[in-house]
Amino acid sequence: NIKFMYSRNNEPINEREILIKKKNEYTSELLSEIVISDDTIPIVYSDRYNITACGCEKFHPFDSQKYGRVFRQLESKGLIDKRRIVKPRSPTKEELLLVHTPEYLHRLEDSKRVASILEFPFAACLPISWIKYLILTPMLVATGGTMIAAQLALKYGWSINLGGGYHHASANLGSGFCVYADITLAIKKLRLTRPNLKVFIIDLDAHQGNGPERDFKGDKNICIMDMYSYPNYPDDAYANTAIDVNIRLMAGTEDEVLIN
């Protein structure tokens, strides 16, 4: 089947011809929707990543505005130019369904269930429309950022998303302030055109990244290295068996041990 896309001047574009002409480039619709110029750097960021909830976010242990501070720090040191970065968009429902079950997405229409995932009881008192605008939409944009960053990495050889990394979310489960399984989704999206793609997931967060581990358990083309504090949340025994390189660090581990 030959699929046609349409450019801004409404001229048909043969997708198969694009794939031939850009053999070494990723040509998904995600990249076709954004402007890639000669001076673009493959760093993905949006101010929408930062979550604010009338100051209530300060009472949650997760720093939901760190993305903006990281960006401003890089910008102040002249390491990044806002005019040259890539701005993401949210994944569509069809894209979310590449990973998440319809039942899980339906549960996200309930304030109490979302509050449980966020581990933020106050959110249960908010209308779901507020939660979507204040919290879920920023997470969706960051999820789209991870998807685009993965594709940019194939084009440029490297890429960084200054948000995302929701490594406690899996296909039918969200927890630990992780609602959308952006890591799994990024890989599933790439595999639409590269079904045999091999991926090495390196997780250096203090907590076990049980989301991707659950999603890719038994996948021979996924290698997972997880270095985390132990014992610590989430202590997911089922997901633990999916880790190929399992590095547990006891509390109080010094920097020198960590680096070596």
Side-chain angles (χ1 to χ4, degrees):
N1 295 327
I2 299 178
K3 179 181 178 181
F4 286 90
M5 300 180 292
Y6 288 83
S7 62
R8 291 180 179 177
N9 57 6
N10 210 34
E11 294 179 356
I13 304 173
N14 187 322
E15 188 176 48
R16 182 176 295 174
E17 289 181 1
I18 292 177
L19 292 174
I20 293 172
K21 291 179 180 178
K22 299 187 176 182
K23 183 178 179 181
N24 295 320
E25 297 181 10
Y26 190 78
T27 56
S28 79
E29 69 278 9
L30 275 176
L31 291 191
S32 67
E33 292 173 1
I34 60 179
V35 177
I36 304 290
S37 61
D38 292 338
D39 63 348
T40 294
I41 53 176
I43 294 179
V44 187
Y45 172 74
S46 168
D47 288 334
R48 198 67 177 93
Y49 285 6
N50 302 286
I51 297 173
T52 58
C54 304
C56 295
E57 72 281 353
K58 297 177 181 178
F59 297 98
H60 194 283
F62 185 87
D63 184 356
S64 61
Q65 297 187 52
K66 59 186 175 183
Y67 317 109
R69 286 199 296 276
V70 170
F71 179 82
R72 290 190 293 273
Q73 181 78 350
L74 292 172
E75 192 174 36
S76 68
K77 293 181 178 296
L79 299 173
I80 196 171
D81 186 339
K82 195 169 187 176
R83 296 168 298 180
R84 297 174 59 195
I85 64 170
V86 177
K87 294 185 178 180
R89 55 93 166 154
S90 299
T92 64
K93 183 176 181 180
E94 290 71 23
E95 288 169 334
L96 289 174
L97 287 171
L98 290 173
V99 174
H100 293 297
T101 63
E103 293 77 17
Y104 178 74
L105 294 181
H106 180 70
R107 291 202 296 272
L108 299 183
E109 299 293 327
D110 185 296
S111 296
K112 291 182 179 179
R113 290 182 172 180
V114 176
S116 177
I117 295 172
L118 299 175
E119 299 179 357
F120 190 36
F122 171 76
C125 303
L126 298 176
I128 191 61
S129 58
W130 288 23
I131 294 176
K132 286 182 177 180
Y133 179 77
L134 295 172
I135 303 173
L136 296 187
T137 295
M139 288 185 170
L140 278 172
V141 176
T143 295
T146 301
M147 294 167 64
I148 290 177
Q151 295 163 23
L152 288 170
L154 293 182
K155 177 181 175 66
Y156 288 91
W158 70 278
S159 182
I160 299 172
N161 180 28
L162 295 183
Y166 304 128
H167 67 164
H168 296 309
S170 58
N172 200 35
L173 181 68
S175 63
F177 209 78
C178 298
V179 178
Y180 302 105
D182 63 321
I183 300 168
T184 302
L185 183 53
I187 295 171
K188 295 277 189 180
K189 185 71 174 179
L190 290 178
R191 282 183 164 179
L192 291 178
T193 55
R194 290 172 167 79
N196 298 317
L197 182 70
K198 295 183 178 181
V199 179
F200 186 16
I201 299 174
I202 303 175
D203 193 325
L204 304 178
D205 187 80
H207 304 107
Q208 176 193 352
N210 59 322
E213 291 161 9
R214 282 178 165 267
D215 288 336
F216 293 114
K217 185 179 175 66
D219 190 323
K220 301 301 182 183
N221 285 330
I222 300 289
C223 181
I224 299 176
M225 169 186 163
D226 199 347
M227 182 163 63
Y228 55 96
S229 173
Y230 182 84
N232 201 351
Y233 175 89
D235 197 17
D236 189 332
Y238 174 81
N240 195 268
T241 60
I243 303 174
D244 299 285
V245 183
N246 195 340
I247 305 174
R248 294 177 173 180
L249 300 175
M250 302 305 294
T253 300
E254 298 293 335
D255 291 352
E256 184 177 354
V257 176
L258 176 66
I259 293 172
N260 293 325

